[in-house]
Amino acid sequence: TMGQMLSTVDIERIEVLRGPQGTLFGKNTTGGAINVVSAKPGQDFDASVVLRAGDYGQQDFRGMVNVPLSDTAAARFSMAKETSDGFYYNRYLNKDVGATDITAFGAAVRFTPNDNWMVDLSYRANSQDDDQAGGQCRPRPQAVQVERLKTVVPDNGKGGHPAQVYTGPTYSDGVKQWGGSTKYGDGNKYQVGGHLERLYPGATIDFWNACAKDNSLGTYVNSQEKDTFLELDNSNMNATIQWDSNGEWGSLDNLNVKLIASAHEMEFNYLQDRDMTYLSIDAIGTPLMDGVGSLRNTDNLEILFTGIASDRLDFVVGAHFFDDEARAGTHLNCLNTFKANITEFSKSDSTLAIKCQADGGTQFDRMPDRAVAGGPGIAGMSGLIANESKAVFAHLTYDISDNWTLDVGARYTDEDRLFNQAEIDAVASTCSHKGAGAPPTTSICTPDYILTHESVFLEGFYNDASANFTEVTPMVSLTRNLGGGNSSLEDGMFYLLYAEGFLSGSFNDELNT
């Protein structure tokens, strides 16, 4: 849910529409649609304030004021501030974690110069400066793993480790955490817990014991070493221009024309610790580059014609344009460098090697530094995902009689999608592992990356793909209205509905193309 404007402020109503809603609302509404309608400025002065306090430092404020500016104009302003201290306790950092801090603002102006025209302009934004949501690790080691970890491996100066003691429970149906064997310096493989032992001898037991200790202290206790955060900014501008005939227009009893344009921008940086222990493993985030993280821009344009053709026939006809572009890293340093040299990199015998830096895209800090080579290390990802969609649609409602209504509709969608992404492993040993006692960090490391044929095609992933999707989504519904006349019901309905929707296509980001 990261990146969504989930704090609903100053809402007029919420519509829950049974699905699919592929005709009027388009793609990805196969299960229905939830339509959140914000309140609009009115000609009466109005104001409201909501204050709320709760456990764990929760303090919420919501306020709204509606101000008439003239007989033909009104403005509405809203603001919300929601904060909390979090309800997880981090025993490693010795503080509560999972804090939230959300600020939301909205402003809207409505102009109604005459009976035919209405213009709505609005701006909404929210900003989050949170911790990441808290969590707790719950390993399920098998008894056989614990026994193997107790075995004394002869040191011989080649990386063996003494007997280890695990103090937590074992499970007959347990999972092999980070499974597999580990090859030590003496050339032998020992079944001692898998990749974690590559960090240092005994790391697996340290990991399990840290989790078991957290579990024993309560559900909301962890020991993660990273001081995680989420910095998220959303902004949305919307303009709706509407003309209504307010009576007969040509052969129509009434005609309404509505033009809707909107632009949405989202920018975020984050750091998440996914193992929830003091070991520096399994983190994900965005390396800070001049304070700029990942960016997403979305533009919408829609025109609607609604009208009454006769006493029995209503219609909705429209066209929709949608453009969405998401960048995992606004600099796209590695990706653009690779694209410029793709011909040379594609040669299996290429000796070309180019250094590039992290660019604010996603970085996976799985095992930053290992005493034993191999296993999942650090990888960086930068990419561009673009989506352009065009659609036309129509919906007719015909009253067959006072009790029977027939609805027929269809939508044609033409969508072009582009996916360009590179994910490569970082240069080994450019980041260091931190064990128990190390100070917390508020960022993931920023390693070096070397672009070669091997690092991209054999060890990493490169995708450069595009696709076109076209679809027609029809619907037909027959409704019998109950109630009134000789019926014993005051109100009710019975309907038969057939509707289609479709999910927009996507690409596999773990597949070399």
Side-chain angles (χ1 to χ4, degrees):
T1 60
M2 184 174 68
Q4 304 303 312
M5 301 181 75
L6 296 178
S7 184
T8 51
V9 182
D10 197 26
I11 298 303
E12 177 185 295
R13 69 183 186 276
I14 298 178
E15 302 172 348
V16 181
L17 309 174
R18 64 181 184 266
Q21 290 290 330
T23 302
L24 293 180
F25 287 87
K27 64 181 182 180
N28 300 339
T29 56
T30 54
I34 298 177
N35 189 25
V36 181
V37 182
S38 59
K40 302 298 188 294
Q43 282 299 316
D44 297 322
F45 177 83
D46 192 15
S48 67
V49 173
V50 175
L51 298 175
R52 181 168 54 196
D55 291 344
Y56 305 103
Q58 180 181 352
Q59 298 181 25
D60 298 345
F61 165 82
R62 294 190 178 195
M64 178 279 297
V65 59
N66 185 95
V67 183
L69 303 177
S70 68
D71 292 341
T72 60
R76 191 179 185 97
F77 305 94
S78 61
M79 183 177 178
K81 179 74 172 178
E82 302 176 0
T83 61
S84 71
D85 296 334
F87 52 85
Y88 273 86
Y89 173 69
N90 185 319
R91 64 186 180 89
Y92 182 79
L93 302 181
N94 191 28
K95 68 173 187 177
D96 292 333
V97 293
T100 59
D101 187 349
I102 302 174
T103 303
F105 172 79
V109 181
R110 169 169 284 187
F111 300 97
T112 52
N114 54 46
D115 292 339
N116 300 106
W117 288 93
M118 179 182 294
V119 178
D120 284 307
L121 304 176
S122 65
Y123 174 81
R124 300 177 72 87
N126 71 350
S127 176
Q128 289 181 237
D129 188 7
D130 299 349
D131 294 345
Q132 284 285 340
Q136 187 182 67
C137 61
R138 293 184 176 274
R140 296 176 61 84
Q142 299 176 4
V144 64
Q145 290 177 286
V146 175
E147 282 301 312
R148 286 168 178 163
L149 282 165
K150 289 180 181 178
T151 303
V152 176
V153 179
D155 186 352
N156 298 327
K158 295 182 179 181
H161 62 76
Q164 300 292 311
V165 179
Y166 170 59
T167 58
T170 59
Y171 303 86
S172 60
D173 61 343
V175 214
K176 293 182 178 179
Q177 291 287 330
W178 295 68
S181 60
T182 298
K183 184 176 181 179
Y184 285 97
D186 58 5
N188 295 315
K189 286 189 175 182
Y190 301 96
Q191 300 289 338
V192 290
H195 290 307
L196 277 180
E197 291 300 292
R198 298 181 186 276
L199 290 175
Y200 60 87
T204 307
I205 286 293
D206 286 346
F207 175 74
W208 287 346
N209 280 336
C211 296
K213 179 66 172 178
D214 293 342
N215 300 163
S216 69
L217 294 175
T219 305
Y220 302 105
V221 177
N222 65 35
S223 55
Q224 67 187 44
E225 97 286 359
K226 287 186 169 57
D227 200 358
T228 60
F229 68 91
L230 168 64
E231 296 173 350
L232 170 66
D233 294 303
N234 276 292
S235 62
N236 183 276
M237 293 182 290
N238 183 280
T240 302
I241 302 172
Q242 188 171 185
W243 177 84
D244 195 299
S245 65
N246 275 323
E248 292 185 3
W249 190 83
S251 61
L252 302 177
D253 292 345
N254 196 80
L255 177 65
N256 181 284
V257 182
K258 182 186 294 186
L259 179 67
I260 305 170
S262 68
H264 184 93
E265 181 177 283
M266 178 185 71
E267 183 180 321
F268 64 90
N269 287 303
Y270 73 101
L271 171 63
Q272 183 179 3
D273 190 328
R274 300 192 292 191
D275 67 284
M276 301 297 173
T277 70
Y278 61 76
L279 278 75
S280 294
I281 59 173
D282 203 18
I284 186 173
T286 49
L288 295 178
M289 298 288 293
D290 302 326
V292 178
S294 293
L295 188 67
R296 183 172 187 174
N297 294 97
T298 306
D299 297 317
N300 278 279
L301 182 64
E302 185 170 68
I303 185 167
L304 286 170
F305 298 88
T306 61
I308 302 173
S310 67
D311 292 341
R312 295 189 179 276
L313 180 63
D314 299 346
F315 66 87
V316 178
V317 177
H320 179 248
F321 173 78
F322 172 84
D323 182 69
D324 182 53
E325 185 176 288
R327 295 175 178 266
T330 53
H331 292 72
L332 298 178
N333 180 289
C334 288
L335 179 62
N336 290 334
T337 301
F338 180 79
K339 289 171 65 176
N341 297 274
I342 188 170
T343 303
E344 289 301 313
F345 283 128
S346 299
K347 299 177 181 177
S348 59
D349 60 346
S350 173
T351 58
L352 182 64
I354 299 178
K355 180 180 176 180
C356 66
Q357 296 177 334
D359 62 5
T362 303
Q363 183 166 304
F364 307 92
D365 278 14
R366 290 167 292 207
M367 293 174 61
D369 188 31
R370 286 90 80 199
V372 179
I378 298 177
M381 181 183 72
S382 61
L384 170 64
I385 303 173
N387 176 14
E388 184 179 285
S389 177
K390 301 172 286 291
V392 291
F393 54 92
H395 185 103
L396 305 178
T397 300
Y398 181 69
D399 293 327
I400 301 172
S401 67
D402 292 341
N403 296 324
W404 289 93
T405 301
L406 176 66
D407 285 89
V408 178
R411 185 185 190 101
Y412 170 76
T413 303
D414 185 339
E415 179 170 275
D416 292 303
R417 297 183 71 90
L418 169 69
F419 185 79
N420 191 200
Q421 181 170 288
E423 179 180 330
I424 62 173
D425 289 337
V427 176
S429 302
T430 55
C431 291
S432 298
H433 168 77
K434 296 183 175 67
T441 175
T442 55
S443 66
I444 56 183
C445 65
T446 307
D448 295 327
Y449 295 94
I450 303 294
L451 297 173
T452 64
H453 171 85
E454 181 179 4
S455 70
V456 176
F457 287 113
L458 303 183
E459 302 295 335
F461 303 98
Y462 178 73
N463 298 264
D464 187 6
S466 61
N468 174 261
F469 302 92
T470 58
E471 191 73 28
V472 176
T473 49
M475 70 83 62
V476 59
S477 176
L478 183 63
T479 304
R480 173 66 161 91
N481 298 301
L482 307 175
N486 298 323
S487 173
S488 60
L489 296 174
E490 293 185 3
D491 193 17
M493 66 182 294
F494 171 82
Y495 69 90
L496 297 172
L497 168 68
Y498 176 83
E500 291 185 6
F502 83 103
L503 297 177
S504 179
S506 61
F507 300 91
N508 186 343
D509 66 352
E510 297 294 308
L511 179 67
N512 273 321
T513 57

